[in-house]
Amino acid sequence: MTTPAGSGSGFGTVSWWGLSPAVDLQAESAPVDPDLQADTEHGTPDLNVLLLGSTDGRHLLQTLARAALWPQRRFQFYVLENNLEAVARHMLIFSLALEDPEKMGLQEKSETFLEMWGNALLRPPVAAFVRAQADRLAHLVPEPDRLAEQLPWLNLGALKFRERDALEAVFRFWAGGEKGPEAFPMSRLWDSRLRHYLGSRYDARRGVSDWDLHMKLHDRGARVIHTREFRRWRDTGVAFELRDSSAYHVPNRTLASGRFLSHRGERIAARGYWGDIATGPFVAFGIEADDDSLLRTSNGQPVKTAGEITLHNVTEMFREITAWRRPRVAQGDPEQVRGDGDGSPEPGPALESFTVHFLSLGSAQTLHHKSCYKGRFQLLYVACGMVHLLSPELGACVAPGGRLIVELAQYLVDLRQEQLQGFSTKVGELAQTAGFAPHPGAKPSETLARFYKAGDSGSGCMDLTVEPGTPPPEVLVPPLGATNPPSEDLTQPLEGRVPPSETLNLSSESQASPSEALAPPTRSQFHISNL
């Protein structure tokens, strides 16, 4: 069997990294009126941002890194994901990004981030860091007081109690609750997933990889991704090889997700890898750079690879975040120092200057019922895998004059050009239905669609189910017989443990049969079939 092009199955049903470069959310938002948005206690205007499917926190981190370039604001990030493993990854990534510089140097922090975030296999020191942080977070999640004391930037108050319990279970698995590599045999799961995706093309996978890279990713703007690094990632799941290849052998448990499968009439809990095996994590930080020399070409070939650009960008981002969090007095900039009544200096923005609020899974269509969310947000970000949630109800949560950014599917290699155009057209229709109009001053972009909300369209919000509209070309959804059923080694039994997806009674997408385990279900994360 040949996997049909345009199936979308290479993206998977769980997203671990984004399909667009990191952006500064302050640059995307409308200016905040200090008289209307000023915080009464601190006298600092708030920037309230709602993010659906931000996945890896890249936009939040980039916003914090660029905060020093803007007038001071207090950031309120409201993050809504469709699985708790993504929430846990957010928390782990932020714990690393905010690690005390005295405990972890900048280079070590950057390399640890790259491996933990984008590699299927880890070096033992990085795996040890993940286990230690996961154990710490597993003990903090069930204790709100300790959590608020040690992680003041984090707010889990909107999560349900069963979601917190499931989140704790995720961290305990990461911390080594089930011993040994066989608890999550990543190499075998990756290869099995690849075999299922490529079908009869598996033996020619190197040629398939080269075609996808040169004829799709390169043509769409990601020319800095090198053939060698892309092949390596496609074969092994290791995107960033910062040491000798033999050093990477510990499975990255943060890429595991649980779901229920139907086998011979029985429902069994399984854990596996259902993430991206087609595009890779190179797009988020590796195809754009402020330093033009990193994008320089010689004889028509980029002189730097996407991995090298990613390491540079992440290092600079962490450097800027560290400088922003450091009290401004220590930087010796008297113009940046604020004074209190007796003339003594006051530190600048630090940890308390931003908060990440995680919202309950599946709450996108009910946020407008709560007065605290209606018209609250100056900016709404929607990832391409969550576009189906864009509706008038969600639009009612955006303040008049607020902005909307939608991630497009430009770097989804399974989609043809006409399908990408159909997706972009459908995004525009959904945005218009939700009360937004194309932003006239937005710079052209093939990765992000930008809109704004004119006037107060909140009155148009009705407690009705919004029809998703006509789907784009039918090839966005694979034919029923287009995919092979996975072999038994595609998933790992949970040995009687109930995965978070069962505890939370998620939608039917988490209750697939084995024949659907690695094919995108009708309501998969990408949800193209619903648009």
Side-chain angles (χ1 to χ4, degrees), residues 15-46:
S15 178
W16 298 125
W17 39 74
L19 290 174
S20 60
V23 298
D24 178 4
L25 298 176
Q26 281 208 82
E28 301 290 341
S29 64
V32 178
D33 185 348
D35 295 331
L36 297 178
Q37 299 291 336
D39 184 275
T40 55
E41 180 181 356
H42 300 279
T44 304
D46 276 354

Side-chain angles (χ1 to χ4, degrees), residues 141-351:
V141 166
E143 300 187 29
D145 293 338
R146 285 186 59 205
L147 183 68
E149 177 185 349
Q150 297 190 29
L151 304 177
W153 51 268
L154 178 64
N155 188 336
L156 300 179
L159 294 183
K160 299 175 182 177
F161 286 111
R162 64 175 181 269
E163 289 174 330
R164 295 191 195 187
D165 292 342
L167 188 61
E168 180 187 354
V170 171
F171 285 126
R172 294 203 179 280
F173 171 69
W174 291 0
E178 297 177 32
K179 304 295 184 181
E182 285 306 309
F184 185 59
M186 186 63 184
S187 295
R188 180 159 57 86
L189 293 172
W190 184 277
D191 184 69
S192 297
R193 176 80 194 283
L194 200 61
R195 288 175 182 272
H196 177 268
Y197 172 60
L198 295 177
S200 61
R201 299 181 299 170
Y202 178 80
D203 290 337
R205 58 190 178 278
R206 175 164 292 191
V208 175
S209 172
D210 292 347
W211 175 270
D212 286 345
L213 176 63
H214 293 282
M215 305 304 294
K216 296 181 180 180
L217 291 176
H218 281 186
D219 283 354
R220 297 176 188 180
R223 293 189 57 83
V224 294
I225 303 178
H226 195 275
T227 303
R228 185 173 59 254
E229 63 185 350
F230 190 71
R231 280 181 185 170
R232 182 185 64 236
W233 176 77
R234 275 280 185 99
D235 287 343
T236 66
V238 176
F240 308 106
E241 194 173 270
L242 307 174
R243 300 290 188 275
D244 184 82
S245 59
S246 62
Y248 297 90
H249 56 83
V250 182
N252 185 355
R253 293 193 176 199
T254 72
L255 298 180
S257 56
R259 66 191 300 179
F260 259 84
L261 306 177
S262 177
H263 181 61
R264 296 179 180 175
E266 296 184 4
R267 287 162 53 80
I268 57 172
R271 180 181 289 118
Y273 177 76
W274 288 286
D276 173 30
I277 58 169
T279 301
F282 307 103
V283 173
F285 295 104
I287 64 173
E288 295 182 357
D290 291 335
D291 185 354
D292 292 338
S293 66
L294 295 173
L295 305 176
R296 186 171 57 87
T297 60
S298 177
N299 297 324
Q301 297 297 320
V303 297
K304 297 291 185 182
T305 66
E308 292 170 328
I309 295 173
T310 298
L311 180 58
H312 174 273
N313 286 339
V314 168
T315 302
E316 289 304 307
M317 181 179 69
F318 285 155
R319 189 196 312 277
E320 292 169 356
I321 291 175
T322 301
W324 176 72
R325 292 181 58 237
R326 186 184 304 134
R328 293 183 179 181
V329 176
Q331 299 179 19
D333 187 354
E335 294 183 1
Q336 299 288 338
V337 178
R338 294 177 292 138
D340 56 19
D342 59 3
S344 59
E346 210 179 275
L351 270 164

Side-chain angles (χ1 to χ4, degrees), residues 1 16 42 48 70 109 128 133 143 154 162 184 272 282 287 300 304 356 417 489 494 501 529:
M1 182 208 92
W16 298 125
H42 300 279
N48 295 289
W70 300 88
K109 180 184 294 188
Q133 289 295 320
E143 300 187 29
L154 178 64
R162 64 175 181 269
F184 185 59
F282 307 103
I287 64 173
K304 297 291 185 182
V356 182
Q417 196 61 40
D489 61 351
L494 293 185
S501 54
S529 58

Side-chain angles (χ1 to χ4, degrees), residues 87-95 141 153-154 167 171 358:
V87 174
R89 290 242 311 172
H90 269 284
M91 294 171 60
L92 183 64
I93 286 172
F94 265 86
S95 296
V141 166
W153 51 268
L154 178 64
L167 188 61
F171 285 126
F358 288 104

